């Protein structure tokens, strides 16, 4: 560590290294502007013989002034002046530490457990920021307010957002809160045990109990850094949570075509809701050989159940008609990992690379 950085850290640490007596005496003087040693003893639980050593320690730190009189007076120093150098030192320290900081690689482990509320919130924020085209979220109303600005930025950037709020009883009324500014579709669910979760583009995701966000050390959050595992969280969201929730707003800002989807369910829902002719480019893998596949053509039909347990696309390519399913598909020909839809012709995938 550079010598100047070491000195800065020592200075910051030394200024705040106050004992119990020093803290009590300092707060008493701040409250009364000035006190004598005997008055400090009366105002606090500091023994009279220890008062003089205590206030001289505060004076050495620049927190109080000692006026030699009979009796000696201990005078408060304006905190803005007393801590001015500390503030500057902290700013310099943070800047230097940031320069030395190396962000941990998030893809080193497929699954990570976290118990800190601040860590869980940081990962939710990171997932929102990293979403390029699709985001699913289950939040409390309090977390919605926390991430409101981040979600608005994502919506403006063209990200499709499915937002679930719980519990329904605490969700803001649509007449009082503009959900369309923060989500494409918003629903609310009654269950207070509904987990908090976030999935960006079907890949990076986090799942946490609401107890974990109250710093309950017996609860935890789980971070998934692999698309296959992110699919599990997204699938749970769609089939268990989303399908049992009440719609609050569902006419969000329309994204332009072509549109990219991590979930075939969302692609199928758009096709069915918007109607008309659609063309698709699907990247995935053959369900029998597991070989990578790209299938392109006109959408012939779709299959969809309101429970979201079934969602599929029948695609007419140049050579054949094939059935496209979602992750872990078994009844279709191809397991879709990403779907691109367009209205005017087969979409060009290079614009998303």
């Amino acid at each position: 560590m550079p010598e100047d950085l070491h000195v800065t850290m020592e200075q910051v640490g030394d200024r705040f290294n106050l004992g119990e007596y020093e803290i009590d005496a300092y707060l008493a003087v701040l409250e009364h502007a000035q006190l004598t040693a005997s008055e400090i003893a009366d105002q606090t639980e500091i023994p009279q013989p220890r008062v003089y050593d205590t206030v001289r320690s505060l004076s050495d730190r620049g927190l109080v002034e000692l006026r030699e009189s009979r009796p000696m007076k201990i005078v408060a120093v304006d905190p803005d002046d007393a801590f001015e150098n500390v503030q500057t030192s902290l700013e310099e320290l943070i800047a230097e530490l940031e320069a030395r900081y190396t962000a941990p690689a998030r893809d080193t482990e497929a699954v990570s457990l976290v118990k800190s509320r601040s860590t869980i919130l940081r990962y939710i924020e990171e997932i929102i920021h990293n979403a390029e085209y699709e985001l699913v979220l289950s939040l409390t109303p309090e977390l919605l307010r926390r991430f409101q600005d981040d979600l608005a930025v994502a919506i403006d950037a063209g990200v499709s957002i499915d937002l679930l709020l719980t519990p329904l009883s605490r969700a803001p009324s649509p007449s009082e809160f503009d959900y369309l500014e923060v989500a494409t579709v918003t629903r609310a669910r009654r269950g207070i045990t509904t987990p908090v979760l976030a999935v960006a583009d079907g890949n990076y995701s986090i799942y946490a109990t609401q107890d974990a966000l109250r710093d309950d050390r017996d609860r935890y959050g789980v971070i998934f850094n692999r698309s296959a595992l992110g699919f599990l969280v997204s699938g749970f969201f769609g089939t268990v949570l989303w399908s049992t929730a009440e719609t609050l707003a569902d006419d969000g800002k329309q994204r332009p075509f072509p549109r990219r989807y991590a979930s075939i369910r969302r692609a199928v829902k758009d096709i069915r809701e918007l109607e008309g002719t659609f063309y698709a480019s699907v990247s995935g893998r053959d369900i029998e050989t597991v070989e990578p596949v790209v299938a392109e053509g006109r959408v012939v039909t779709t299959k969809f159940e309101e429970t979201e347990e079934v969602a599929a696309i029948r695609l007419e390519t140049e050579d054949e008609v094939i059935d496209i399913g979602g992750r872990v598909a078994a009844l279709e020909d191809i397991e879709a990992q990403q779907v691109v839809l367009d209205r005017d012709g087969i979409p060009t995938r290079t614009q998303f690379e």
Side-chain angles (χ1 to χ4, degrees):
M1 179 182 295
E3 183 177 352
D4 56 346
L5 179 57
H6 190 277
V7 170
T8 302
M9 294 189 69
E10 285 184 342
Q11 291 173 343
V12 173
D14 182 62
R15 177 60 64 90
F16 285 103
N17 187 23
L18 301 176
E20 182 179 350
Y21 288 164
E22 291 164 320
I23 293 172
D24 289 346
Y26 179 57
L27 293 178
V29 174
L30 278 182
E31 183 177 355
H32 295 87
Q34 67 177 33
L35 292 172
T36 64
S38 61
E39 287 172 336
I40 289 176
D42 293 338
Q43 294 281 339
T44 67
E45 297 182 359
I46 305 173
Q48 180 76 38
R50 296 292 305 277
V51 172
Y52 286 97
D53 289 341
T54 300
V55 297
R56 291 190 186 283
S57 175
L58 293 175
S59 176
D60 291 341
R61 288 176 166 81
L63 300 179
V64 300
E65 293 180 0
L66 301 184
R67 295 183 181 172
E68 301 294 343
S69 59
R70 292 185 179 274
M72 182 177 68
K73 293 181 180 179
I74 300 91
V75 181
V77 174
D78 188 327
D80 281 343
D81 297 329
F83 289 95
E84 180 180 6
N85 291 336
V86 173
Q87 183 175 351
T88 301
S89 297
L90 278 173
E91 291 173 350
E92 293 174 352
L93 173 62
I94 292 172
E96 293 192 51
L97 291 176
E98 283 285 354
R100 296 173 63 85
Y101 171 67
T102 301
R106 75 180 192 191
D107 59 350
T108 54
E109 296 181 355
V111 180
S112 302
L113 298 182
V114 292
K115 289 190 174 183
S116 164
R117 167 185 165 84
S118 61
T119 301
I120 293 172
L121 294 178
R122 177 168 58 82
Y123 272 99
I124 293 175
E125 181 179 29
E126 184 175 338
I127 288 171
I128 294 173
H129 288 171
N130 287 341
E132 295 182 7
Y133 56 94
E134 188 175 278
L135 181 64
V136 298
L137 291 160
S138 172
L139 302 175
T140 63
E142 293 75 23
L143 291 180
L144 170 61
R145 285 188 284 270
R146 180 188 183 97
F147 297 116
Q148 180 177 347
D149 292 342
D150 299 311
L151 293 173
V153 170
I155 282 289
D156 288 340
V159 178
S160 175
I161 301 177
D162 283 356
L163 172 64
L164 178 69
L165 294 176
T166 54
L168 172 62
S169 60
R170 296 211 310 268
S173 167
S175 63
E176 299 173 352
F177 186 91
D178 190 355
Y179 287 107
L180 303 184
E181 291 296 320
V182 298
T184 309
V185 183
T186 302
R187 294 185 181 182
R189 193 168 184 267
R190 293 179 58 195
I192 61 173
T193 58
T194 301
V196 170
L197 62 84
V199 186
D201 304 331
N203 293 311
Y204 188 35
S205 60
I206 187 168
Y207 175 104
T209 64
Q210 292 196 30
D211 288 338
L213 290 168
R214 291 189 283 267
D215 274 335
D216 185 335
R217 289 299 177 179
D218 293 329
R219 302 293 186 266
Y220 53 85
V222 186
I223 300 166
F224 299 94
N225 293 319
R226 298 288 187 274
S227 60
L229 298 175
F231 153 73
L232 295 177
V233 181
S234 182
F236 171 76
F237 174 89
T239 57
V240 178
L241 304 181
W242 191 250
S243 61
T244 58
E246 175 182 323
T247 299
L248 297 181
D250 63 358
D251 190 19
K253 297 176 180 178
Q254 294 296 317
R255 292 185 298 153
F257 284 96
R259 297 182 187 176
R260 185 165 45 152
Y261 304 83
S263 165
I264 195 171
R265 292 175 175 83
R266 291 174 184 79
V268 170
K269 284 192 286 186
D270 276 3
I271 293 172
R272 295 170 72 90
E273 290 173 4
L274 298 175
E275 300 180 337
T277 302
F278 282 89
Y279 299 87
S281 176
V282 180
S283 60
R285 56 185 179 179
D286 186 291
I287 67 164
E288 294 184 345
T289 66
V290 199
E291 290 295 321
V293 175
V294 174
E296 298 180 330
R298 181 178 64 88
V299 175
V300 180
T301 59
T302 62
K303 292 172 60 178
F304 186 74
E305 292 185 2
E306 292 303 319
T307 60
E308 301 202 13
E309 294 178 359
V310 175
I313 294 173
R314 176 159 290 179
L315 197 65
E316 181 182 34
T317 71
E318 289 184 352
D319 304 320
E320 59 183 335
V321 175
I322 56 177
D323 291 326
I324 312 291
R327 300 280 184 152
V328 299
L331 303 177
E332 295 79 21
D333 303 305
I334 294 175
E335 173 196 90
Q337 297 174 341
Q338 188 180 101
V339 178
V340 181
L341 293 180
D342 204 349
R343 305 298 300 263
D344 301 324
I346 296 174
T348 303
R349 303 187 63 85
T350 53
Q351 64 182 296
F352 298 114
E353 295 176 355

